[in-house]
Amino acid sequence: MVFNLDSVGSVIDGNDGMVYPMLSDGEYDVICGTHLSEVDKGWFDNLSSVDRDFIDSLFDGDYWEMKAEVHNGI
């Protein structure tokens, strides 16, 4: 199931963590998907607190812990 992340004009697949750009007609571009672990810093900087909390709820906060470990070289 995909969920809108309006603050960044994207949707996220709650099953596999793939992020897709949202199109103007409300659909999403399945060809241009990027895994959550690969999106750039600017994308994260633009996430609203509501969308960030939603991602936390989807992945139990594990994603942010992994991202910090990668950033710190752990």
Side-chain angles (χ1 to χ4, degrees), residues 31-51:
I31 295 174
C32 294
T34 304
H35 192 268
L36 185 61
S37 65
E38 299 294 321
V39 296
D40 65 28
K41 182 181 179 323
W43 187 89
F44 280 106
D45 290 346
N46 288 311
L47 269 177
S48 69
S49 60
V50 170
D51 286 345

Side-chain angles (χ1 to χ4, degrees), residues 3-8 10 12 36 39-65 67-68:
F3 303 94
N4 289 352
L5 300 172
D6 292 325
S7 64
V8 288
S10 303
I12 188 167
L36 185 61
V39 296
D40 65 28
K41 182 181 179 323
W43 187 89
F44 280 106
D45 290 346
N46 288 311
L47 269 177
S48 69
S49 60
V50 170
D51 286 345
R52 186 177 299 267
D53 290 345
F54 180 71
I55 291 174
D56 281 345
S57 73
L58 281 178
F59 301 105
D60 296 325
D62 292 340
Y63 174 74
W64 306 115
E65 182 178 332
K67 191 76 169 170

Side-chain angles (χ1 to χ4, degrees), residues 22-33:
M22 196 179 313
L23 303 173
S24 60
D25 64 1
E27 295 296 315
Y28 58 96
D29 187 347
V30 296
I31 295 174
C32 294

